Amino acid sequence: GENVEQHPSTLSVQEGDSAVIKCTYSDSASNYFPWYKQELGKRPQLIIDIRSNVGEKKDQRIAVTLNKTAKHFSLHITETQPEDSAVYFCAAITRAQKLVFGQGTRLTINP
Amino acid sequence: DAGVIQSPRHEVTEMGQEVTLRCKPISGHNSLFWYRQTMMRGLELLIYFNNNVPIDDSGMPEDRFSAKMPNASFSTLKIQPSEPRDSAVYFCASKLSGANVLTFGAGSRLTVL
Protein backbone atom coordinates (compact mmCIF):
# COMPACT_ATOMS: atom_id res chain seq x y z
CA GLY A 1 0.00 0.00 0.00
CA GLU A 2 0.90 3.66 0.13
CA ASN A 3 2.93 4.30 3.25
CA VAL A 4 5.46 6.84 4.52
CA GLU A 5 7.55 6.04 7.56
CA GLN A 6 9.31 8.84 9.45
CA HIS A 7 12.04 8.72 12.12
CA PRO A 8 12.71 9.76 14.78
CA SER A 9 9.40 10.71 16.39
CA THR A 10 11.18 13.16 18.70
CA LEU A 11 14.53 14.87 18.34
CA SER A 12 16.30 17.21 20.71
CA VAL A 13 19.46 19.09 19.66
CA GLN A 14 21.55 21.90 21.03
CA GLU A 15 21.22 25.28 19.40
CA GLY A 16 23.76 25.56 16.61
CA ASP A 17 23.96 21.81 16.00
CA SER A 18 22.45 20.00 12.99
CA ALA A 19 19.24 18.00 12.90
CA VAL A 20 18.41 15.16 10.50
CA ILE A 21 15.00 13.58 9.95
CA LYS A 22 14.59 10.52 7.74
CA CYS A 23 11.66 9.10 5.78
CA THR A 24 11.01 6.06 3.63
CA TYR A 25 8.17 5.56 1.18
CA SER A 26 6.57 2.51 -0.39
CA ASP A 27 5.07 3.66 -3.72
CA SER A 28 7.84 3.40 -6.33
CA ALA A 29 5.82 5.74 -8.58
CA SER A 30 6.11 8.61 -6.10
CA ASN A 31 7.90 11.55 -7.71
CA TYR A 32 7.39 14.47 -5.35
CA PHE A 33 8.49 14.74 -1.72
CA PRO A 34 7.61 17.83 0.33
CA TRP A 35 8.48 18.69 3.91
CA TYR A 36 6.08 20.63 6.11
CA LYS A 37 6.71 22.47 9.36
CA GLN A 38 3.90 22.80 11.89
CA GLU A 39 4.24 25.14 14.85
CA LEU A 40 2.06 24.65 17.90
CA GLY A 41 -1.56 25.43 17.12
CA LYS A 42 -0.82 26.36 13.51
CA ARG A 43 -1.32 24.78 10.11
CA PRO A 44 1.36 22.71 8.34
CA GLN A 45 3.40 24.92 6.04
CA LEU A 46 5.63 23.84 3.18
CA ILE A 47 9.31 24.56 3.83
CA ILE A 48 11.06 22.66 1.05
CA ASP A 49 10.29 20.02 -1.56
CA ILE A 50 12.19 17.81 -3.97
CA ARG A 51 11.23 16.07 -7.17
CA SER A 52 12.42 12.63 -8.22
CA ASN A 53 14.74 13.89 -10.95
CA VAL A 54 16.92 15.65 -8.36
CA GLY A 55 19.09 14.09 -5.67
CA GLU A 56 19.54 17.10 -3.42
CA LYS A 57 18.09 20.55 -2.90
CA LYS A 58 19.19 23.28 -0.53
CA ASP A 59 17.56 26.46 0.73
CA GLN A 60 19.73 28.41 3.19
CA ARG A 61 19.96 26.28 6.36
CA ILE A 62 17.70 23.48 5.19
CA ALA A 63 18.41 20.77 2.63
CA VAL A 64 16.68 17.65 1.45
CA THR A 65 18.29 14.57 -0.09
CA LEU A 66 16.55 11.82 -2.05
CA ASN A 67 17.65 8.25 -2.79
CA LYS A 68 15.13 6.84 -5.25
CA THR A 69 16.74 3.42 -5.38
CA ALA A 70 16.42 2.97 -1.64
CA LYS A 71 13.14 4.93 -1.51
CA HIS A 72 14.21 7.21 1.25
CA PHE A 73 14.65 10.95 1.69
CA SER A 74 15.96 13.14 4.48
CA LEU A 75 15.68 16.66 5.84
CA HIS A 76 18.80 18.36 7.13
CA ILE A 77 18.74 21.53 9.21
CA THR A 78 22.10 23.14 9.97
CA GLU A 79 22.97 25.79 12.56
CA THR A 80 19.68 25.18 14.34
CA GLN A 81 17.92 28.06 16.07
CA PRO A 82 15.16 28.14 18.71
CA GLU A 83 12.59 29.09 16.06
CA ASP A 84 13.27 25.77 14.32
CA SER A 85 11.44 24.04 17.18
CA ALA A 86 8.27 22.54 15.67
CA VAL A 87 6.80 19.32 14.33
CA TYR A 88 8.13 18.38 10.89
CA PHE A 89 6.26 16.14 8.46
CA CYS A 90 7.60 14.44 5.37
CA ALA A 91 5.23 13.39 2.62
CA ALA A 92 5.16 11.62 -0.71
CA ILE A 93 2.72 11.97 -3.57
CA THR A 94 1.36 8.66 -4.79
CA ARG A 95 0.54 7.52 -8.31
CA ALA A 96 -3.09 8.35 -7.45
CA GLN A 97 -2.01 11.96 -6.71
CA LYS A 98 -2.64 11.61 -2.98
CA LEU A 99 -0.23 13.28 -0.57
CA VAL A 100 0.56 10.77 2.18
CA PHE A 101 2.30 12.07 5.31
CA GLY A 102 4.75 10.53 7.73
CA GLN A 103 3.91 10.46 11.43
CA GLY A 104 5.87 13.61 12.20
CA THR A 105 9.00 14.49 14.18
CA ARG A 106 8.86 16.81 17.15
CA LEU A 107 12.09 18.82 17.02
CA THR A 108 13.21 20.71 20.10
CA ILE A 109 16.15 23.11 19.97
CA ASN A 110 17.76 23.56 23.37
CA PRO A 111 19.37 26.96 24.02
CA ASP B 1 -5.69 35.55 -2.14
CA ALA B 2 -7.01 34.82 1.35
CA GLY B 3 -5.78 31.23 1.21
CA VAL B 4 -7.83 28.18 2.18
CA ILE B 5 -10.65 29.29 4.47
CA GLN B 6 -12.11 26.93 7.05
CA SER B 7 -14.98 27.35 9.49
CA PRO B 8 -15.63 27.03 12.29
CA ARG B 9 -12.16 27.36 13.82
CA HIS B 10 -13.33 25.73 17.02
CA GLU B 11 -16.37 23.64 17.80
CA VAL B 12 -17.41 21.97 21.01
CA THR B 13 -20.41 19.69 20.83
CA GLU B 14 -22.02 16.84 22.66
CA MET B 15 -21.92 13.22 21.60
CA GLY B 16 -24.68 12.41 19.15
CA GLN B 17 -24.89 15.88 17.63
CA GLU B 18 -24.31 16.59 13.95
CA VAL B 19 -21.15 18.48 13.06
CA THR B 20 -20.55 20.30 9.77
CA LEU B 21 -17.14 21.65 8.86
CA ARG B 22 -16.72 23.99 5.92
CA CYS B 23 -13.94 24.80 3.50
CA LYS B 24 -13.35 27.31 0.73
CA PRO B 25 -10.31 26.40 -1.38
CA ILE B 26 -7.96 28.86 -3.00
CA SER B 27 -9.57 30.34 -6.07
CA GLY B 28 -8.50 28.39 -9.15
CA HIS B 29 -7.43 25.29 -7.24
CA ASN B 30 -9.36 22.26 -8.46
CA SER B 31 -8.14 19.59 -6.02
CA LEU B 32 -9.38 19.63 -2.43
CA PHE B 33 -8.32 17.38 0.43
CA TRP B 34 -9.70 16.76 3.93
CA TYR B 35 -7.21 15.59 6.60
CA ARG B 36 -7.71 14.70 10.25
CA GLN B 37 -4.92 15.26 12.76
CA THR B 38 -4.63 13.56 16.14
CA MET B 39 -1.68 12.88 18.42
CA MET B 40 -2.07 9.14 17.99
CA ARG B 41 -2.59 8.90 14.24
CA GLY B 42 -0.91 12.01 12.87
CA LEU B 43 -2.21 13.51 9.61
CA GLU B 44 -4.69 11.13 8.00
CA LEU B 45 -6.17 11.75 4.56
CA LEU B 46 -9.94 11.31 4.77
CA ILE B 47 -11.07 12.14 1.24
CA TYR B 48 -10.06 14.17 -1.78
CA PHE B 49 -11.85 15.74 -4.73
CA ASN B 50 -10.74 16.63 -8.25
CA ASN B 51 -12.97 19.08 -10.11
CA ASN B 52 -15.65 18.63 -7.41
CA VAL B 53 -15.73 14.84 -7.87
CA PRO B 54 -14.71 12.57 -4.97
CA ILE B 55 -11.73 10.53 -6.15
CA ASP B 56 -10.73 8.55 -3.08
CA ASP B 57 -12.72 8.29 0.16
CA SER B 58 -10.93 5.22 1.48
CA GLY B 59 -9.72 7.22 4.47
CA MET B 60 -13.21 8.09 5.70
CA PRO B 61 -13.40 6.19 8.98
CA GLU B 62 -17.02 5.06 8.83
CA ASP B 63 -20.49 5.84 7.56
CA ARG B 64 -20.94 8.58 10.13
CA PHE B 65 -18.57 10.69 8.01
CA SER B 66 -19.60 12.23 4.69
CA ALA B 67 -18.13 14.92 2.47
CA LYS B 68 -19.52 16.95 -0.39
CA MET B 69 -18.23 19.48 -2.87
CA PRO B 70 -21.26 21.06 -4.58
CA ASN B 71 -19.14 23.59 -6.47
CA ALA B 72 -15.53 24.61 -7.04
CA SER B 73 -15.46 27.03 -4.13
CA PHE B 74 -17.07 25.10 -1.31
CA SER B 75 -16.81 21.76 0.47
CA THR B 76 -18.30 20.31 3.64
CA LEU B 77 -17.30 17.47 5.94
CA LYS B 78 -20.17 16.18 8.05
CA ILE B 79 -20.15 13.87 11.05
CA GLN B 80 -23.48 12.46 12.14
CA PRO B 81 -23.76 11.37 14.88
CA SER B 82 -20.54 12.62 16.44
CA GLU B 83 -18.61 10.63 19.04
CA PRO B 84 -15.85 11.62 21.50
CA ARG B 85 -13.26 9.74 19.43
CA ASP B 86 -13.93 12.14 16.55
CA SER B 87 -12.24 14.90 18.56
CA ALA B 88 -9.36 16.15 16.39
CA VAL B 89 -8.20 19.00 14.21
CA TYR B 90 -9.65 18.75 10.72
CA PHE B 91 -7.64 20.39 7.96
CA CYS B 92 -8.78 21.25 4.49
CA ALA B 93 -6.11 21.75 1.81
CA SER B 94 -6.16 22.60 -1.88
CA LYS B 95 -3.93 22.61 -4.96
CA LEU B 96 -4.03 22.69 -8.71
CA SER B 97 -4.55 19.14 -9.94
CA GLY B 98 -1.53 19.27 -12.23
CA ALA B 99 0.72 20.78 -9.59
CA ASN B 100 2.11 19.34 -6.38
CA VAL B 101 2.18 22.12 -3.81
CA LEU B 102 -0.60 21.65 -1.26
CA THR B 103 -1.79 24.61 0.81
CA PHE B 104 -3.53 24.03 4.13
CA GLY B 105 -6.27 25.96 5.82
CA ALA B 106 -6.00 26.95 9.47
CA GLY B 107 -7.95 23.91 10.61
CA SER B 108 -11.13 23.28 12.59
CA ARG B 109 -10.57 22.01 16.13
CA LEU B 110 -13.46 19.71 17.08
CA THR B 111 -14.16 18.57 20.61
CA VAL B 112 -16.95 16.06 21.17
CA LEU B 113 -17.93 15.69 24.82
Side-chain angles (χ1 to χ4, degrees), chain A residues 51-86:
Chain A
R51 299 175 200 279
S52 59
N53 58 348
V54 176
E56 184 173 358
K57 182 177 178 181
K58 191 172 181 180
D59 182 2
Q60 298 183 352
R61 295 186 299 107
I62 59 173
V64 58
T65 58
L66 170 65
N67 182 328
K68 279 216 75 179
T69 303
K71 290 195 280 189
H72 64 70
F73 57 113
S74 302
L75 177 72
H76 304 252
I77 306 174
T78 58
E79 300 171 24
T80 53
Q81 300 169 3
E83 53 265 35
D84 295 330
S85 293

Side-chain angles (χ1 to χ4, degrees), chain A residues 11-19 61 77-86 88 106-111:
Chain A
L11 180 60
S12 183
V13 302
Q14 290 297 119
E15 184 178 351
D17 288 351
S18 296
R61 295 186 299 107
I77 306 174
T78 58
E79 300 171 24
T80 53
Q81 300 169 3
E83 53 265 35
D84 295 330
S85 293
Y88 291 80
R106 183 174 299 278
L107 175 63
T108 303
I109 309 300
N110 301 309

